[in-house]
Amino acid sequence: MRMLISFAALFLSVILLQLSSGGVGPLDALSGLALDFSTAQVGLLGSAHFVGFFVGCWWAPRLMGSVGHSRAFAAFTAMGAIGLLAHMLVINPYAWAAMRVASGLCVAGCYTVIEAWLNAKVTNETRGRAMGTYRIADMGASLVAQLMIGILEPASYVSYNLLALLCCASILPLTLTKASQPSTPEAPRLRPKLGWAKSPLAVAGVMVAGLTSGAFRMVGPIYGQEVGLRVEEIGYFLAAFVLGGALAQYPAGWLADKFDRRWVLIWLSAASILSCAVTIGLAGGGTSAVMAAAILFGITTFPIFSVSAAHAHDFASSAERVELSAALMFFYAIGAIASPLLASGLIDAYGPSALFLLISVGHFALILFGISRMKVRKTVDDKTPYIYTPRTSITIGRLLKRQRDRKD
């Protein structure tokens, strides 16, 4: 209990930040459609978010080293709040794209500060409980953020103002805490070649995870509207995906620790293709059927990033773990940047089912690549423990390093 109290300010900041940043994606999609933006322009907003996220991941540690944790956090939340408040001042999709870059910078920067602070304060005795609570706070707030779409009116200043208020409120717990700021860790180097050298299959896996998550989270509201869901039902649809992902973590981890992780990835991708087909088939089956399909989609697709990361770390030394985690985040961002724009263009051309056809193609390619990689080399017998890996910042690699080093 004392551990939870000591980290309460950090966890409260995480919850408020996730409520703000998790709500802006679906709100932008629905607002853009209400303002007659094209589907491709709405997809551009999602891609712009991940561009900002990618830039923020590499800039945040350097800014934090220059001005300190609290000031860096305040600077990034100010960027996010400005981006939110400016939406209804300039009704233009390309101006909104610039605002979404600011939102992406905010998310990456704030999570970098929070995770750096956590890493400096946890001990070997408290690390497991702290990380478990952190994951619950993050995923729980993400679930609630999707449900907020039911009360946020699209293209409304009040809606964006509410999200901006939550973003600003996330500053208070962290900046008012009496805990001393930790020393700033050295920023990890960007070495994409390290990821490819350790596991080409893991690189392919995280890119497909980025393609899946980026497309569904940013373009999913368009799909929901196209298949006849009401605004509040679109929130349930997105939340069902997050819920399915949360439910899948333990069984996916058990499978990844017990069996060859390459086969786990291959079968998860096969199940993902099946869930895409089920989602397309149930599009006209009513609200309950669409929600059930979204849960199944989350169960099959959400664990792929963590399984891929665990497979890559099986081949890495302890000294390489932080930079390997950063490299995997780089490849995840590539998939997430490209997919919303690509998915929205395909929906324009071929209808809403094209979203899941695109995701199916990505997973089919992962299956073929996984089978080909199994012929190249054997997997390791001494595995690292499976760990659910949030896609929040490159600092997460430091938080998880010691847990990966502890062999079961």
Side-chain angles (χ1 to χ4, degrees):
M1 181 60 69
R2 292 178 63 185
M3 182 277 296
L4 294 179
I5 293 173
S6 66
F7 290 128
L10 290 175
F11 295 147
L12 183 54
S13 288
V14 167
I15 291 170
L16 292 169
L17 178 67
Q18 183 62 265
L19 289 175
S20 174
S21 62
V24 67
L27 179 61
D28 262 5
L30 296 175
S31 297
L33 293 177
L35 294 169
D36 294 326
F37 292 180
S38 69
T39 306
Q41 288 170 337
V42 172
L44 174 65
L45 303 181
S47 294
H49 171 86
F50 286 108
V51 169
F53 175 81
F54 175 72
V55 173
C57 278
W58 307 112
W59 180 37
R62 291 152 181 82
L63 180 64
M64 194 167 55
S66 300
V67 303
H69 291 65
S70 294
R71 289 180 178 177
F73 191 88
F76 283 116
T77 50
M79 293 179 196
I82 290 169
L84 288 166
L85 291 171
H87 269 71
M88 299 313 297
L89 299 179
V90 184
I91 309 300
N92 179 280
Y94 303 104
W96 279 29
M99 298 169 199
R100 287 302 300 277
V101 171
S103 298
L105 282 167
C106 171
V107 172
C110 290
Y111 272 105
T112 297
V113 173
I114 289 168
E115 289 169 2
W117 206 312
L118 268 176
N119 185 61
K121 295 298 183 181
V122 295
T123 64
N124 288 337
E125 291 73 26
T126 62
R127 185 176 298 271
R129 285 174 293 159
M131 284 304 300
T133 307
Y134 174 55
R135 290 168 185 142
I136 291 171
D138 180 58
M139 189 165 283
S142 176
L143 191 65
V144 174
Q146 311 310 310
L147 297 175
M148 286 173 59
I149 294 304
I151 62 173
L152 296 175
E153 181 184 351
S156 166
Y157 175 76
V158 174
S159 298
Y160 285 102
N161 189 56
L162 176 60
L163 294 182
L165 288 173
L166 290 170
C167 184
C168 292
S170 69
I171 303 176
L172 300 177
L174 192 142
T175 53
L176 294 179
T177 180
K178 295 181 180 179
S180 58
Q181 293 190 59
S183 57
T184 304
E186 182 182 353
R189 291 180 295 168
L190 175 56
R191 296 173 59 196
K193 288 184 179 179
L194 177 64
W196 186 262
K198 293 301 171 185
S199 175
L201 177 58
V203 167
V206 298
M207 289 185 70
V208 171
L211 179 147
T212 302
S213 180
F216 187 85
R217 285 177 176 271
M218 299 302 171
V219 186
I222 299 176
Y223 173 86
Q225 192 170 74
E226 290 284 340
V227 299
L229 295 181
R230 300 192 304 271
V231 172
E232 62 272 17
E233 291 173 340
I234 291 173
Y236 292 129
F237 177 65
L238 298 174
F241 166 72
V242 177
L243 177 61
L247 294 174
Q249 291 308 317
Y250 180 81
W254 183 82
L255 291 170
D257 284 340
K258 188 173 179 62
F259 300 104
D260 187 332
R261 286 171 175 168
R262 298 171 299 180
W263 277 117
V264 175
L265 273 177
I266 288 169
W267 283 109
L268 277 174
S269 277
S272 297
I273 294 172
L274 177 61
S275 70
C276 287
V278 169
T279 303
I280 293 173
L282 294 179
T287 302
S288 298
V290 172
M291 299 305 167
I295 292 176
L296 177 63
F297 182 72
I299 289 172
T300 57
T301 61
F302 216 96
I304 285 178
F305 182 93
S306 295
V307 175
S308 299
H311 180 62
H313 282 279
D314 287 344
F315 299 94
S317 66
S318 178
E320 294 171 322
R321 299 209 186 283
V322 174
E323 291 185 354
L324 177 57
S325 296
L328 294 177
M329 282 294 296
F330 167 80
F331 287 109
Y332 171 83
I334 290 176
I337 289 170
S339 62
L341 190 57
L342 181 58
S344 61
L346 291 172
I347 288 175
D348 252 348
Y350 303 106
S353 63
L355 168 63
F356 292 99
L357 292 175
L358 169 66
I359 293 171
S360 296
V361 169
H363 284 282
F364 183 70
L366 183 58
I367 290 173
L368 295 180
F369 190 60
I371 293 172
S372 69
R373 287 300 303 172
M374 293 183 74
K375 298 177 181 179
V376 175
R377 69 174 177 183
K378 295 181 179 180
T379 191
V380 297
D381 296 322
D382 190 18
K383 297 179 181 178
T384 58
Y386 173 88
I387 300 170
Y388 163 59
T389 309
R391 283 90 81 185
T392 46
S393 81
I394 58 175
T395 318
I396 197 69
R398 285 195 175 89
L399 273 169
L400 301 179
K401 177 178 179 295
R402 292 183 186 177
Q403 289 178 280
R404 294 193 189 281
D405 287 342
R406 188 174 66 246
K407 303 291 184 182
D408 286 341

PDB file of all heavy atoms in Angstrom, residues 60-80:
ATOM      1  N   ALA A  60      11.957  13.779 -26.459  1.00  0.00           N
ATOM      2  CA  ALA A  60      11.607  13.906 -25.041  1.00  0.00           C
ATOM      3  C   ALA A  60      12.779  13.640 -24.093  1.00  0.00           C
ATOM      4  O   ALA A  60      13.000  14.421 -23.160  1.00  0.00           O
ATOM      5  CB  ALA A  60      10.437  12.983 -24.710  1.00  0.00           C
ATOM      6  N   PRO A  61      13.557  12.568 -24.272  1.00  0.00           N
ATOM      7  CA  PRO A  61      14.669  12.362 -23.330  1.00  0.00           C
ATOM      8  C   PRO A  61      15.684  13.501 -23.352  1.00  0.00           C
ATOM      9  O   PRO A  61      16.269  13.837 -22.322  1.00  0.00           O
ATOM     10  CB  PRO A  61      15.303  11.050 -23.810  1.00  0.00           C
ATOM     11  CG  PRO A  61      14.235  10.360 -24.582  1.00  0.00           C
ATOM     12  CD  PRO A  61      13.453  11.459 -25.231  1.00  0.00           C
ATOM     13  N   ARG A  62      15.878  14.109 -24.505  1.00  0.00           N
ATOM     14  CA  ARG A  62      16.843  15.204 -24.618  1.00  0.00           C
ATOM     15  C   ARG A  62      16.312  16.473 -23.958  1.00  0.00           C
ATOM     16  O   ARG A  62      17.052  17.183 -23.267  1.00  0.00           O
ATOM     17  CB  ARG A  62      17.172  15.422 -26.092  1.00  0.00           C
ATOM     18  CG  ARG A  62      17.975  14.244 -26.676  1.00  0.00           C
ATOM     19  CD  ARG A  62      17.771  14.053 -28.163  1.00  0.00           C
ATOM     20  NE  ARG A  62      18.536  12.899 -28.646  1.00  0.00           N
ATOM     21  CZ  ARG A  62      18.113  11.641 -28.549  1.00  0.00           C
ATOM     22  NH1 ARG A  62      16.942  11.362 -28.015  1.00  0.00           N
ATOM     23  NH2 ARG A  62      18.866  10.650 -28.986  1.00  0.00           N
ATOM     24  N   LEU A  63      15.011  16.766 -24.152  1.00  0.00           N
ATOM     25  CA  LEU A  63      14.421  17.926 -23.485  1.00  0.00           C
ATOM     26  C   LEU A  63      14.411  17.722 -21.968  1.00  0.00           C
ATOM     27  O   LEU A  63      14.703  18.647 -21.203  1.00  0.00           O
ATOM     28  CB  LEU A  63      12.998  18.152 -23.991  1.00  0.00           C
ATOM     29  CG  LEU A  63      12.258  19.350 -23.371  1.00  0.00           C
ATOM     30  CD1 LEU A  63      12.962  20.652 -23.728  1.00  0.00           C
ATOM     31  CD2 LEU A  63      10.798  19.385 -23.838  1.00  0.00           C
ATOM     32  N   MET A  64      14.104  16.513 -21.547  1.00  0.00           N
ATOM     33  CA  MET A  64      14.083  16.202 -20.126  1.00  0.00           C
ATOM     34  C   MET A  64      15.476  16.396 -19.520  1.00  0.00           C
ATOM     35  O   MET A  64      15.614  16.878 -18.392  1.00  0.00           O
ATOM     36  CB  MET A  64      13.620  14.754 -19.931  1.00  0.00           C
ATOM     37  CG  MET A  64      13.241  14.391 -18.524  1.00  0.00           C
ATOM     38  SD  MET A  64      12.350  12.807 -18.481  1.00  0.00           S
ATOM     39  CE  MET A  64      13.517  11.725 -19.308  1.00  0.00           C
ATOM     40  N   GLY A  65      16.505  16.042 -20.270  1.00  0.00           N
ATOM     41  CA  GLY A  65      17.865  16.251 -19.789  1.00  0.00           C
ATOM     42  C   GLY A  65      18.243  17.712 -19.703  1.00  0.00           C
ATOM     43  O   GLY A  65      19.082  18.098 -18.885  1.00  0.00           O
ATOM     44  N   SER A  66      17.609  18.553 -20.526  1.00  0.00           N
ATOM     45  CA  SER A  66      17.940  19.989 -20.536  1.00  0.00           C
ATOM     46  C   SER A  66      17.206  20.771 -19.450  1.00  0.00           C
ATOM     47  O   SER A  66      17.784  21.655 -18.821  1.00  0.00           O
ATOM     48  CB  SER A  66      17.601  20.596 -21.910  1.00  0.00           C
ATOM     49  OG  SER A  66      18.328  19.965 -22.937  1.00  0.00           O
ATOM     50  N   VAL A  67      15.908  20.456 -19.229  1.00  0.00           N
ATOM     51  CA  VAL A  67      15.098  21.293 -18.338  1.00  0.00           C
ATOM     52  C   VAL A  67      14.543  20.548 -17.127  1.00  0.00           C
ATOM     53  O   VAL A  67      13.905  21.157 -16.266  1.00  0.00           O
ATOM     54  CB  VAL A  67      13.940  21.953 -19.122  1.00  0.00           C
ATOM     55  CG1 VAL A  67      14.455  22.772 -20.274  1.00  0.00           C
ATOM     56  CG2 VAL A  67      12.938  20.897 -19.616  1.00  0.00           C
ATOM     57  N   GLY A  68      14.732  19.237 -17.061  1.00  0.00           N
ATOM     58  CA  GLY A  68      14.207  18.477 -15.937  1.00  0.00           C
ATOM     59  C   GLY A  68      12.867  17.835 -16.231  1.00  0.00           C
ATOM     60  O   GLY A  68      12.187  18.178 -17.198  1.00  0.00           O
ATOM     61  N   HIS A  69      12.478  16.901 -15.360  1.00  0.00           N
ATOM     62  CA  HIS A  69      11.268  16.124 -15.572  1.00  0.00           C
ATOM     63  C   HIS A  69      10.003  16.979 -15.554  1.00  0.00           C
ATOM     64  O   HIS A  69       9.181  16.915 -16.468  1.00  0.00           O
ATOM     65  CB  HIS A  69      11.165  15.028 -14.496  1.00  0.00           C
ATOM     66  CG  HIS A  69      12.183  13.946 -14.624  1.00  0.00           C
ATOM     67  ND1 HIS A  69      13.538  14.159 -14.465  1.00  0.00           N
ATOM     68  CD2 HIS A  69      12.039  12.620 -14.897  1.00  0.00           C
ATOM     69  CE1 HIS A  69      14.183  13.025 -14.633  1.00  0.00           C
ATOM     70  NE2 HIS A  69      13.299  12.070 -14.886  1.00  0.00           N
ATOM     71  N   SER A  70       9.821  17.770 -14.497  1.00  0.00           N
ATOM     72  CA  SER A  70       8.569  18.519 -14.327  1.00  0.00           C
ATOM     73  C   SER A  70       8.368  19.549 -15.431  1.00  0.00           C
ATOM     74  O   SER A  70       7.266  19.690 -15.974  1.00  0.00           O
ATOM     75  CB  SER A  70       8.536  19.208 -12.963  1.00  0.00           C
ATOM     76  OG  SER A  70       8.482  18.254 -11.929  1.00  0.00           O
ATOM     77  N   ARG A  71       9.421  20.278 -15.770  1.00  0.00           N
ATOM     78  CA  ARG A  71       9.293  21.293 -16.820  1.00  0.00           C
ATOM     79  C   ARG A  71       9.032  20.654 -18.177  1.00  0.00           C
ATOM     80  O   ARG A  71       8.250  21.182 -18.979  1.00  0.00           O
ATOM     81  CB  ARG A  71      10.551  22.157 -16.864  1.00  0.00           C
ATOM     82  CG  ARG A  71      10.690  23.102 -15.668  1.00  0.00           C
ATOM     83  CD  ARG A  71      11.947  23.939 -15.773  1.00  0.00           C
ATOM     84  NE  ARG A  71      12.056  24.877 -14.655  1.00  0.00           N
ATOM     85  CZ  ARG A  71      13.080  25.694 -14.465  1.00  0.00           C
ATOM     86  NH1 ARG A  71      14.100  25.694 -15.326  1.00  0.00           N
ATOM     87  NH2 ARG A  71      13.103  26.515 -13.432  1.00  0.00           N
ATOM     88  N   ALA A  72       9.695  19.532 -18.454  1.00  0.00           N
ATOM     89  CA  ALA A  72       9.449  18.846 -19.722  1.00  0.00           C
ATOM     90  C   ALA A  72       8.006  18.360 -19.792  1.00  0.00           C
ATOM     91  O   ALA A  72       7.343  18.487 -20.832  1.00  0.00           O
ATOM     92  CB  ALA A  72      10.419  17.673 -19.872  1.00  0.00           C
ATOM     93  N   PHE A  73       7.504  17.812 -18.690  1.00  0.00           N
ATOM     94  CA  PHE A  73       6.123  17.341 -18.663  1.00  0.00           C
ATOM     95  C   PHE A  73       5.153  18.501 -18.909  1.00  0.00           C
ATOM     96  O   PHE A  73       4.194  18.381 -19.679  1.00  0.00           O
ATOM     97  CB  PHE A  73       5.825  16.689 -17.312  1.00  0.00           C
ATOM     98  CG  PHE A  73       4.532  15.932 -17.264  1.00  0.00           C
ATOM     99  CD1 PHE A  73       4.479  14.597 -17.627  1.00  0.00           C
ATOM    100  CD2 PHE A  73       3.348  16.549 -16.870  1.00  0.00           C
ATOM    101  CE1 PHE A  73       3.287  13.889 -17.595  1.00  0.00           C
ATOM    102  CE2 PHE A  73       2.147  15.858 -16.834  1.00  0.00           C
ATOM    103  CZ  PHE A  73       2.122  14.523 -17.195  1.00  0.00           C
ATOM    104  N   ALA A  74       5.408  19.631 -18.268  1.00  0.00           N
ATOM    105  CA  ALA A  74       4.549  20.802 -18.457  1.00  0.00           C
ATOM    106  C   ALA A  74       4.594  21.295 -19.901  1.00  0.00           C
ATOM    107  O   ALA A  74       3.567  21.687 -20.469  1.00  0.00           O
ATOM    108  CB  ALA A  74       4.981  21.917 -17.514  1.00  0.00           C
ATOM    109  N   ALA A  75       5.777  21.271 -20.514  1.00  0.00           N
ATOM    110  CA  ALA A  75       5.906  21.719 -21.899  1.00  0.00           C
ATOM    111  C   ALA A  75       5.112  20.815 -22.839  1.00  0.00           C
ATOM    112  O   ALA A  75       4.393  21.291 -23.733  1.00  0.00           O
ATOM    113  CB  ALA A  75       7.378  21.737 -22.305  1.00  0.00           C
ATOM    114  N   PHE A  76       5.203  19.506 -22.638  1.00  0.00           N
ATOM    115  CA  PHE A  76       4.495  18.587 -23.529  1.00  0.00           C
ATOM    116  C   PHE A  76       2.977  18.647 -23.324  1.00  0.00           C
ATOM    117  O   PHE A  76       2.216  18.560 -24.296  1.00  0.00           O
ATOM    118  CB  PHE A  76       5.007  17.162 -23.324  1.00  0.00           C
ATOM    119  CG  PHE A  76       6.339  16.909 -23.976  1.00  0.00           C
ATOM    120  CD1 PHE A  76       7.453  16.602 -23.221  1.00  0.00           C
ATOM    121  CD2 PHE A  76       6.479  16.988 -25.347  1.00  0.00           C
ATOM    122  CE1 PHE A  76       8.681  16.377 -23.815  1.00  0.00           C
ATOM    123  CE2 PHE A  76       7.701  16.761 -25.968  1.00  0.00           C
ATOM    124  CZ  PHE A  76       8.807  16.455 -25.196  1.00  0.00           C
ATOM    125  N   THR A  77       2.522  18.793 -22.088  1.00  0.00           N
ATOM    126  CA  THR A  77       1.073  18.925 -21.879  1.00  0.00           C
ATOM    127  C   THR A  77       0.555  20.229 -22.476  1.00  0.00           C
ATOM    128  O   THR A  77      -0.572  20.278 -22.980  1.00  0.00           O
ATOM    129  CB  THR A  77       0.721  18.851 -20.382  1.00  0.00           C
ATOM    130  OG1 THR A  77       1.551  19.744 -19.649  1.00  0.00           O
ATOM    131  CG2 THR A  77       0.885  17.452 -19.848  1.00  0.00           C
ATOM    132  N   ALA A  78       1.370  21.296 -22.440  1.00  0.00           N
ATOM    133  CA  ALA A  78       0.961  22.561 -23.060  1.00  0.00           C
ATOM    134  C   ALA A  78       0.785  22.381 -24.570  1.00  0.00           C
ATOM    135  O   ALA A  78      -0.180  22.887 -25.160  1.00  0.00           O
ATOM    136  CB  ALA A  78       1.998  23.646 -22.770  1.00  0.00           C
ATOM    137  N   MET A  79       1.702  21.627 -25.203  1.00  0.00           N
ATOM    138  CA  MET A  79       1.563  21.349 -26.638  1.00  0.00           C
ATOM    139  C   MET A  79       0.262  20.601 -26.914  1.00  0.00           C
ATOM    140  O   MET A  79      -0.467  20.914 -27.870  1.00  0.00           O
ATOM    141  CB  MET A  79       2.750  20.510 -27.126  1.00  0.00           C
ATOM    142  CG  MET A  79       4.084  21.212 -27.103  1.00  0.00           C
ATOM    143  SD  MET A  79       5.392  20.085 -27.663  1.00  0.00           S
ATOM    144  CE  MET A  79       6.843  20.966 -27.101  1.00  0.00           C
ATOM    145  N   GLY A  80      -0.015  19.597 -26.096  1.00  0.00           N
ATOM    146  CA  GLY A  80      -1.235  18.828 -26.299  1.00  0.00           C
ATOM    147  C   GLY A  80      -2.482  19.669 -26.117  1.00  0.00           C
ATOM    148  O   GLY A  80      -3.428  19.579 -26.907  1.00  0.00           O
TER     149      GLY A  80
END
